[in-house]
Amino acid sequence: MLSVATGFAAISHKIVTRMMADEFRHQFDLNVNENEDINFVDDHQPNKRRHTQHQIQGLEAFFKDCPIPDYKQRRALGLELGLEPQQVKFWFQNKRTQLKTRHDHLKNAELRAENKRLRDENTTNLEHLESVACASCGCPISIREISVEEHRLRAENVRLREQIHRFSTIAAQNIGKPVADNIPDSKPL
C-alpha cells in the first residue's frame, strides 16, 4: 500500500508541475503545444541560432564605424537585419571580447619575444663581464664571486707592489745592487 501511495504522490506532483508550467506559458503568451511532453531535466542542448552571412556583413560594417552602439542604434540595426536588439547587443559584446582576446594574445607574444631578447642580451653581457679584467688591479672581474672590499684590497696590493718596485729601482740606482731580490713577489688572489 505504501508503494502505491508513493507512486500516486509522484504522479500527482508531476501533473501539478505540468499544469503550472502550461499555465505559466499561457500567461506569458509563449508557444504552447498541447501534445508536448514537458521535460524538467536540463538534458537538452540550447537552441543556437546562427546569423546569416548578410546579417554578419551588416553587423561587421556597423562595428567598424561604431563598436559600442546604444539601444537606438541596436534597435535600428536589428530591424534592418531582422534581429532582436538583444541579439545585436550580444553579437557586439562577443565581437569586442574576441578582439580584446586577439589583442591580448598579440601583446603577450610581443612581450615574450622582448623578454627572450632581454634574457639573451643579459646572458651575453654576463659572459662578457666574466672575461673583463679590472683596470686598476688587472684581476679578472667576476661580479658573482668578488666583494667590493676584496676588490679594494687587490687594487691596494697592486699599488703597493708598484711602489715597492719604484723604491727598489731608486735604491738600486743609489746603492748599486738590486733590492727587489729580497722582496717576495706576491701574486694576485
Side-chain angles (χ1 to χ4, degrees):
M1 188 69 172
L2 183 62
S3 64
V4 174
T6 306
F8 181 72
I11 293 172
S12 298
H13 177 70
K14 196 172 193 176
I15 292 171
V16 169
T17 306
R18 182 178 179 155
M19 289 172 46
M20 288 173 59
D22 287 344
E23 185 177 322
F24 175 80
R25 285 184 180 175
H26 284 292
Q27 183 179 2
F28 290 102
D29 198 25
L30 298 173
N31 294 335
V32 177
N33 183 355
E34 297 300 331
N35 298 327
E36 178 182 340
D37 185 26
I38 297 176
N39 187 359
F40 293 102
V41 181
D42 279 343
D43 60 353
H44 64 282
Q45 293 291 325
N47 185 13
K48 291 188 175 183
R49 295 182 190 156
R50 302 287 180 196
H51 300 302
T52 66
Q53 194 63 27
H54 171 70
Q55 289 171 333
I56 292 173
Q57 288 172 352
L59 291 165
E60 292 279 353
F62 196 87
F63 185 82
K64 287 178 185 175
D65 296 333
C66 179
I68 306 175
D70 60 12
Y71 179 76
K72 290 180 183 179
Q73 291 170 321
R74 289 193 307 262
R75 189 176 65 206
L77 186 60
L79 287 173
E80 179 183 325
L81 298 174
L83 296 171
E84 295 293 321
Q86 195 77 358
Q87 289 176 296
V88 174
K89 175 183 175 182
F90 290 142
W91 187 91
F92 273 83
Q93 284 177 351
N94 292 339
K95 183 69 172 178
R96 286 191 302 269
T97 302
Q98 183 184 46
L99 287 178
K100 183 180 181 306
T101 302
R102 281 188 199 152
H103 178 264
D104 290 347
H105 284 298
L106 290 174
K107 189 68 174 173
N108 286 341
E110 290 173 6
L111 290 173
R112 274 191 223 102
E114 176 75 7
N115 191 7
K116 183 183 180 331
R117 185 186 64 75
L118 289 172
R119 283 179 191 251
D120 292 344
E121 183 180 335
N122 191 22
T123 303
T124 303
N125 288 339
L126 286 174
E127 289 170 357
H128 178 71
L129 278 177
E130 289 179 3
S131 65
V132 173
C134 175
S136 62
C137 70
C139 298
I141 297 175
S142 177
I143 295 174
R144 296 182 187 131
E145 297 173 5
I146 190 168
S147 69
V148 174
E149 179 65 17
E150 185 179 350
H151 186 267
R152 187 188 65 73
L153 290 172
R154 286 183 182 193
E156 186 176 349
N157 284 345
V158 169
R159 185 184 60 76
L160 290 172
R161 264 190 242 110
E162 288 172 357
Q163 210 174 23
I164 289 172
H165 181 68
R166 270 187 308 207
F167 289 147
S168 41
T169 305
I170 293 171
Q173 290 172 353
N174 292 330
I175 298 176
K177 69 178 190 173
V179 181
D181 291 339
N182 301 332
I183 301 172
D185 187 26
S186 63
K187 300 273 182 188
L189 299 175

